[in-house]
Amino acid sequence: MLEEIEGTVQGHRDGHGFVLRDDGDADIYLPPNEMRAVLHRDRVRVRIVRQDRRGRPEGRVLEIVERPPQPIIGRLLQEGGIWLVAPEDRRYGQDVLIPKTAIGLARPGQVVVVELTEPPALYGQPVGRVKEVLGDIDDPGMEIEIAVRKYGVPHEFSDAAIGEARALPDSVQPRDRAGRVDLTDVPLVTIDGEDARDFDDAVYCEPAVVRGRGKRPNGWRLLVAIADVSHYVRTGAPLDVDAYDRATSVYFPRRVIPMLPEKLSNGLCSLNPEVERLSMVCDMLVTAQGEIHAYQFYPAVIRSHARLTYTEVAAILANTRGPEAARRQERVGDLIHLHDVYRALLKARQQRGAVDFDTVETQIVCDEAGRIEKIVPRPRNDAHRLIEECMLAANVCSADFIGLGKHPGLYRVHEGPTPEKVEILRAYLKALGLGLSVSDEPRPEEFQRIAAATAERADAEQIHMMLLRSMSQAIYTPINSGHFGLAYAAYTHFTSPIRRYPDLLVHRVIKAILAERKYQLPTLPTPGEAHEKLSKRLKKDSLSRAQDRRDRPDRLSPEVQAWEAAGLHCSANERRADEASRDVEAWLKCKYMKEHLGEEYAGTVSAATSFGLFVTLSDLHVEGLVHITELGGEYFRFDEIRQELRGERTGIRYAIGTRVRVQVSRVDLDARKIDFRLVREGEESLARVPRDKGAVAGAERGRPAKASSKRAARQQREAERGNARPSPMQALKSAVRKAAAKKGAASGKPRKSRR
């Protein structure tokens, strides 16, 4: 009897799909005819019937095990008298028919939410009804309305949570001060961005005697005060259930979907200036060498003495006699002490060998109508780094306190690279001839040493990106395995309970330890597709790590299992928030670039793949694809190890960091894709592409370069038949798997891999 396998359908916008197996083994390919009767995210039972021409296991759907409730968002269209909705998420693969009686008040072209009334079948499309009308596609903020529903981001608080928030006072009450240290006379300040509305943390620093019997200061007393959200959000209460469901605030351009209602996030729990607020304080003694000599935690009442911005603080530190310093004269001395302790902490960070890459973050600036005005880099100055080091110090103390208290809790764990990624990184570094490599179980200082040694090279950005991509993603878990990137033996998140649920849990655990009692997690649900996908990936990664078999207990207690489920839920929802934010940013960038079709820009190759180059524009920080058919009339070979495309006839090479000039040739708003055409020196630009929204793709793209050989022509045909256009990260992972598979084949050991 052939094996029957269960898994979740992952649709693709080109009509085919895959089944992500529950056992974490290789994905099963579903051809378009099999996808006709199923939907993206369906749970199915399949049987492998053959290998397709690309060597992938191909399946036949035997049964739909579960069809989760999944509202579909799309544009309402009328074609030949038939009403239908074209899903915004193309992974659904087919349009939904809408009976005329089920369109409600929706008009053609509007964005609607559809509820299915009849499932798809082999010879019939799905049928549904309009459940909600979101508005016109050009309405301000529509991209956010789409994203929150597309990714299942909770965006409405329950009535019970709203009622509980309304019942809270507007200010600190006399009864709230009981058992707290009064720090209202300590000149704590908040330092945040200009557009910040919620203030989690306030800081203060003064010289102190840390060691010895002398009276001369040889270190600092550093206070990090964090909003005491746990005082108002009680375990298992409606506010707590809603906060856990969200797990994090989601940040979009011009809008935030908060984890807590605004009364708490911007009011009662926000450390606004000149008002009393409840806080949890991490009070530390830091040596001149940047070591935390001692610390203590306690609940307090504070009053922020100033709301400062990063720009303002950086200006004061750069010129203590300038106009900014004159306006904040009372705070200048305290800021100098903060800067001194920051430099000591930074020195200790460098001695630990913590990995520190300079990456560019961008900010989308929109006008009142929601249209992008410009995309600018978000600069990082000493004020940003100062606050970061203070928060790191408080987080490390929190992890140490929980560990010493022998209480279960959530650590922020960042494990080193898997053996598979170590292998591909070694091969890459060897191919570059750097004379540098990493050990079997690399340490953070090895990565930092390579980053420092290559900082002045022309391809430094490429090397640093490969180092970064070889690392794992950080997660929340009760099993402490340390933080690889920061080079900490134990690390957690304590400093942002307004916007991160794990921080709220850490506060509760610290309070429990201080009160010499045990904090008991409530029974909370852990639903969601993101949770399931992350669980499978982590399980697969753990099998490839030898250290996991040493560090992780064979059997976990029910209590630790509950904490592990909570950590997995928070980690998955953190990724969900990131995906939703990236989706909105991609939509806005596509919308912006659609108005610049035909224009030329300087850019840098951010990833090389077998099907082309991803290029990031230097001034706009927008990424698009130069398809391999646009590279010219020769055959280009993809070097997986060097991550570059090389022309066989001319030897021209395109790798990460290569500077190029491109022309915007096509924008697909629905798919969030931008296509570029390579412009060579001395080549005349194509005529400017019309901005007509209805222009066909061919008119927007221009004509592809003509192949000058049979091999180039074959490569062009193969590229045009390609289905997916994965992200640079997906392309890198594919290269890693292929390289490892080749090694396995060479050694005679069979190895299963995922697409």
Side-chain angles (χ1 to χ4, degrees):
M1 180 178 177
L2 295 174
E3 181 184 9
E4 295 182 2
I5 301 155
E6 287 193 10
T8 304
V9 174
Q10 183 81 17
H12 191 273
R13 65 191 184 95
D14 290 326
H16 64 268
F18 293 86
V19 174
L20 308 182
R21 297 172 57 150
D22 289 347
D23 59 12
D25 214 331
D27 298 345
I28 300 169
Y29 174 70
L30 293 180
N33 62 309
E34 288 293 323
M35 286 294 295
R36 293 283 301 170
V38 297
L39 288 172
H40 170 64
R41 294 173 58 191
D42 280 355
R43 284 193 51 75
V44 296
R45 181 177 292 112
V46 297
R47 177 181 295 157
I48 297 175
V49 292
R50 64 176 68 86
Q51 300 285 322
D52 74 351
R53 58 191 179 89
R54 293 171 61 180
R56 300 174 296 190
E58 184 176 315
R60 176 177 298 160
V61 177
L62 303 177
E63 179 188 356
I64 298 173
V65 178
E66 180 186 1
R67 174 158 285 150
Q70 42 181 317
I72 297 173
I73 302 94
R75 300 273 293 277
L76 180 65
L77 306 173
Q78 188 178 25
E79 297 180 356
I82 298 175
W83 292 88
L84 54 87
V85 168
E88 198 278 338
D89 188 341
R90 293 191 175 187
R91 291 176 295 181
Y92 283 101
Q94 49 189 318
D95 297 337
V96 181
L97 296 176
I98 309 293
K100 187 175 181 179
T101 57
I103 64 173
L105 300 176
R107 301 190 307 271
Q110 286 189 312
V111 181
V112 298
V113 180
V114 172
E115 182 180 55
L116 290 184
T117 56
E118 294 182 26
L122 283 176
Y123 303 105
Q125 289 176 261
V127 180
R129 68 176 185 88
V130 174
K131 182 181 178 182
E132 181 183 6
V133 179
L134 300 183
D136 295 321
I137 190 66
D138 292 324
D139 287 350
M142 179 54 65
E143 67 282 357
I144 297 174
E145 296 296 334
I146 291 172
V148 296
R149 291 162 177 81
K150 178 178 177 180
Y151 291 94
V153 176
H155 58 285
E156 294 179 347
F157 288 103
S158 66
D159 291 340
I162 293 173
E164 186 182 0
R166 284 176 179 165
L168 291 171
D170 294 322
S171 60
V172 173
Q173 301 299 296
R175 64 178 180 274
D176 297 330
R177 302 173 65 95
R180 292 179 178 270
V181 179
D182 188 341
L183 296 182
T184 53
D185 60 333
V186 177
L188 289 143
V189 298
T190 62
I191 305 175
D192 292 273
E194 282 80 359
D195 55 351
R197 295 179 61 197
D198 55 349
F199 309 111
D200 288 284
D201 54 87
V203 292
Y204 170 74
C205 183
E206 64 183 16
V209 177
V210 177
R211 286 185 177 136
R213 297 181 180 178
K215 296 183 179 180
R216 186 175 181 180
N218 59 353
W220 300 270
R221 181 190 180 196
L222 173 62
L223 272 68
V224 175
I226 306 299
D228 190 358
V229 176
S230 63
H231 180 82
Y232 299 106
V233 180
R234 304 291 184 175
T235 299
L239 277 173
D240 189 41
V241 173
D242 276 26
Y244 177 80
D245 188 31
R246 297 177 179 223
T248 180
S249 296
V250 187
Y251 293 85
F252 299 110
R254 301 185 308 115
R255 181 179 169 189
V256 177
I257 297 180
M259 186 181 79
L260 299 170
E262 191 169 331
K263 181 167 183 178
L264 285 90
S265 60
N266 295 347
L268 190 56
C269 291
S270 183
L271 306 184
N272 299 324
E274 304 303 336
V275 293
E276 289 189 353
R277 289 288 184 256
L278 304 184
S279 72
M280 285 295 295
V281 175
C282 181
D283 194 338
M284 296 165 275
L285 288 177
V286 182
T287 68
Q289 291 73 40
E291 298 174 358
I292 300 174
H293 176 65
Y295 66 84
Q296 61 177 329
F297 287 92
Y298 51 83
V301 181
I302 71 161
R303 180 172 63 88
S304 170
H305 285 231
R307 182 269 199 259
L308 306 177
T309 68
Y310 294 122
T311 305
E312 186 179 13
V313 171
I316 292 172
L317 294 175
N319 182 7
T320 56
R321 296 183 179 180
E324 294 84 1
R327 285 195 296 270
R328 301 286 191 179
Q329 192 170 4
E330 294 180 350
R331 305 278 75 83
V332 172
D334 298 339
L335 292 176
I336 291 173
H337 297 324
L338 279 168
H339 196 232
D340 290 341
V341 78
Y342 150 69
R343 286 186 291 191
L345 291 168
L346 181 62
K347 183 179 178 181
R349 176 192 184 117
Q350 293 167 345
Q351 290 177 343
R352 285 197 320 272
V355 182
D356 189 13
F357 297 127
D358 280 331
T359 56
V360 178
E361 293 185 11
T362 58
Q363 178 181 7
I364 296 177
V365 180
C366 299
D367 59 20
E368 291 299 323
R371 179 181 174 276
I372 293 182
E373 288 185 337
K374 55 186 176 180
I375 303 170
V376 296
R378 193 188 294 269
R380 273 175 54 82
N381 53 43
D382 266 9
H384 290 88
R385 300 183 184 97
L386 181 157
I387 289 298
E388 180 181 311
E389 287 299 332
C390 291
M391 299 306 111
L392 290 177
N395 287 336
V396 169
C397 292
S398 304
D400 186 69
F401 190 69
I402 292 172
L404 291 175
K406 300 187 183 304
H407 195 297
L410 288 183
Y411 294 94
R412 182 67 167 175
V413 168
H414 180 228
E415 294 184 320
T418 62
E420 184 180 55
K421 289 184 177 181
V422 167
E423 183 180 331
I424 196 69
L425 180 61
R426 277 176 174 168
Y428 170 74
L429 294 172
K430 183 178 180 181
L432 291 181
L434 293 175
L436 299 168
S437 189
V438 292
S439 59
D440 290 339
E441 294 186 11
R443 301 180 305 279
E445 55 264 33
E446 297 178 43
F447 280 71
Q448 188 59 28
R449 185 169 61 249
I450 295 171
T454 58
E456 302 301 322
R457 288 175 57 109
D459 56 353
E461 186 177 356
Q462 172 188 0
I463 297 169
H464 294 179
M465 193 172 294
M466 288 293 289
L467 290 172
L468 189 62
R469 288 175 176 173
S470 69
M471 297 183 192
S472 304
Q473 283 186 297
I475 61 169
Y476 296 106
T477 173
I479 311 299
N480 178 35
S481 302
H483 197 291
F484 180 85
L486 295 173
Y488 286 132
Y491 185 72
T492 192
H493 276 168
F494 163 78
T495 54
S496 295
I498 290 177
R499 61 185 179 89
R500 291 190 306 228
Y501 195 82
D503 302 54
L504 178 56
L505 290 176
V506 167
H507 276 235
R508 289 172 177 168
V509 169
I510 289 175
K511 282 187 173 182
I513 296 173
L514 289 173
E516 297 183 344
R517 58 180 174 80
K518 195 75 171 286
Y519 173 70
Q520 184 67 43
L521 270 178
T523 302
L524 294 168
T526 56
E529 177 191 10
H531 176 279
E532 183 182 354
K533 287 167 62 177
L534 180 63
S535 178
K536 291 176 185 175
R537 185 179 66 77
L538 294 176
K539 180 181 178 182
K540 183 182 178 185
D541 279 356
S542 69
L543 295 176
S544 66
R545 296 180 188 272
Q547 65 264 33
D548 275 9
R549 290 191 289 271
R550 293 197 305 266
D551 299 340
R552 184 182 176 89
D554 293 333
R555 300 183 68 179
L556 301 177
S557 67
E559 182 182 31
V560 175
Q561 287 180 16
W563 279 96
E564 188 171 47
L568 195 59
H569 170 79
C570 293
S571 302
N573 285 10
E574 177 186 44
R575 282 154 179 73
R576 179 182 68 182
D578 290 341
E579 289 173 359
S581 298
R582 283 194 296 266
D583 187 81
V584 168
E585 288 191 9
W587 193 94
L588 288 170
K589 289 178 178 180
C590 286
K591 184 82 171 176
Y592 180 74
M593 295 309 296
K594 205 169 181 67
E595 299 177 3
H596 296 273
L597 287 167
E599 295 183 10
E600 293 183 13
Y601 298 93
T604 304
V605 175
S606 52
T609 72
S610 60
F611 52 83
L613 306 170
F614 285 93
V615 174
T616 300
L617 304 184
S618 302
D619 295 331
L620 299 177
H621 307 280
V622 171
E623 187 179 67
L625 176 72
V626 177
H627 201 261
I628 199 165
T629 56
E630 301 280 6
L631 293 181
E634 66 174 307
Y635 188 85
F636 281 84
R637 187 177 298 279
F638 177 56
D639 188 328
E640 293 177 347
I641 302 300
R642 295 178 182 269
Q643 289 288 292
E644 68 179 20
L645 283 171
R646 184 195 293 261
E648 284 202 343
R649 179 171 54 83
T650 61
I652 189 170
R653 296 162 55 184
Y654 296 104
I656 301 173
T658 303
R659 299 188 181 278
V660 294
R661 189 161 187 83
V662 296
Q663 182 186 49
V664 184
S665 61
R666 180 175 179 265
V667 176
D668 187 340
L669 196 59
D670 292 335
R672 316 288 197 267
K673 302 294 183 184
I674 301 170
D675 286 343
F676 296 144
R677 171 185 172 270
L678 200 64
V679 177
R680 292 175 180 78
E681 189 175 351
E683 180 182 18
E684 289 188 11
S685 172
L686 293 176
R688 183 173 176 81
V689 183
R691 294 187 184 179
D692 179 12
K693 292 183 180 179
V696 296
E700 292 179 351
R701 287 182 65 93
R703 298 182 62 84
K706 184 181 292 184
S708 60
S709 69
K710 290 183 179 180
R711 295 189 71 187
R714 185 176 75 249
Q715 185 173 18
Q716 179 171 323
R717 289 195 301 271
E718 290 172 352
E720 289 171 348
R721 283 199 301 265
N723 292 320
R725 261 177 42 178
S727 67
M729 178 59 75
Q730 290 171 323
L732 177 66
K733 288 180 178 178
S734 176
V736 169
R737 285 193 292 267
K738 288 179 182 177
K742 285 181 180 178
K743 182 179 179 182
S747 63
K749 298 177 181 178
R751 183 184 182 278
K752 296 179 180 179
S753 64
R754 293 184 66 177
R755 182 181 69 90

